[in-house]
Amino acid sequence: KAGVTQTPRYLIKTRGQQVTLSCSPISGHRSVSWYQQTPGQGLQFLFEYFSETQRNKGNFPGRFSGRQFSNSRSEMNVSTLELGDSALYLCASSPIRGLGIKNIQYFGAGTRLSVL
Amino acid sequence: GQQLNQSPQSMFIQEGEDVSMNCTSSSIFNTWLWYKQDPGEGPVLLIALYKAGELTSNGRLTAQFGITRKDSFLNISASIPSDVGIYFCAGGGETSGSRLTFGEGTQLTVNP
């Protein structure tokens, strides 16, 4: 069974540009969550999608957005990039919402975004 | 954003030694998870705890869910070089869906 796949693995952008990151969850998983990881702030929750609907949102500005498709694949978009957006963006998938015993979240390897 | 207080920040130990790290929070969590992250990879789940007071083992790893639901610890016994990495605790609430709040991480170095 393939794991969580994130593309691209590395990305370099300049300030003011926008970027779209992709996450393909494990087959059969319908919940996808996104996290930002930086040395200063650690792992911060961005948002959670389930059944193509955003179910939960972290404390990030409106420049950060996402969506989920009918096949559960998810994308996140960051508009008007700032230097501080440089980070590892991680996606996690689980069968359903929540943190139950049979509902483990599996993380992808992440997309490393560098903003110059 | 809100984070759990994880300590220590880093540890340098000799192979064969035992390791202990812990997390505390001002908020109650219904789920505590421990992850390990290797360079260039995403976090990998080590142990999941779902009940206050629960003590769970996974090989050389043992973790406990604190009685107050505001803390958890992870012990690694007889460390080996491949234990090197960053260990994170994470807490989840009953009403927060799949959302996890992470600790700052413990960087573990094991000298052979």
Side-chain angles (χ1 to χ4, degrees):
Chain A
K1 202 173 186 180
V4 178
T5 303
Q6 291 188 245
T7 57
R9 286 296 308 273
Y10 303 93
L11 207 46
I12 299 175
K13 292 285 187 179
T14 56
R15 276 181 299 173
Q17 285 187 311
Q18 74 162 22
V19 68
T20 299
L21 312 181
S22 178
C23 172
S24 293
I26 291 172
S27 177
H29 285 195
R30 295 165 56 201
S31 174
V32 173
S33 297
W34 288 88
Y35 293 83
Q36 182 196 63
Q37 186 174 25
T38 60
Q41 296 296 314
L43 277 146
Q44 300 286 326
F45 173 80
L46 279 157
F47 23 65
E48 173 195 0
Y49 285 88
F50 180 77
S51 292
E52 302 176 63
T53 302
Q54 187 180 94
R55 304 291 179 153
N56 215 335
K57 191 176 192 308
N59 189 26
F60 280 82
R63 299 185 297 107
F64 291 80
S65 63
R67 59 178 175 168
Q68 186 180 36
F69 302 94
S70 58
N71 61 357
S72 296
R73 190 177 71 85
S74 177
E75 289 181 348
M76 67 163 280
N77 184 78
V78 188
S79 63
T80 319
L81 284 166
E82 301 176 359
L83 295 179
D85 297 333
S86 295
L88 180 67
Y89 289 89
L90 292 160
C91 162
S93 78
S94 58
I96 57 175
R97 294 196 69 212
L99 300 167
I101 290 177
K102 295 188 186 301
N103 197 42
I104 301 299
Q105 281 190 53
Y106 294 90
F107 281 83
T111 293
R112 172 76 62 188
L113 173 64
S114 297
V115 182
L116 306 178
Chain B
Q2 180 193 13
Q3 279 194 316
L4 304 176
N5 296 311
Q6 185 172 347
S7 63
Q9 277 191 319
S10 60
M11 300 184 76
F12 298 84
I13 62 171
Q14 294 297 125
E15 184 177 357
E17 289 184 356
D18 296 344
V19 170
S20 185
M21 57 192 79
N22 69 84
C23 272
T24 59
S25 170
S26 57
S27 306
I28 288 174
F29 287 108
N30 293 307
T31 301
W32 281 92
L33 307 171
W34 285 91
Y35 286 89
K36 177 174 184 264
Q37 186 175 26
D38 292 326
E41 300 294 329
V44 174
L45 183 66
L46 299 173
I47 290 184
L49 302 157
Y50 300 100
K51 283 167 52 171
E54 180 181 356
L55 184 71
T56 296
S57 293
N58 178 10
R60 295 179 294 106
L61 277 60
T62 301
Q64 183 157 32
F65 189 146
I67 291 290
T68 64
R69 295 199 283 161
K70 293 183 178 182
D71 63 309
S72 177
F73 73 75
L74 173 71
N75 286 341
I76 305 173
S77 63
S79 58
I80 58 178
S82 62
D83 290 335
V84 166
I86 304 177
Y87 291 78
F88 291 96
C89 61
E94 195 170 78
T95 59
S96 60
S98 300
R99 176 178 187 156
L100 293 173
T101 300
F102 280 85
E104 302 99 327
T106 295
Q107 172 73 63
L108 178 64
T109 302
V110 180
N111 296 313

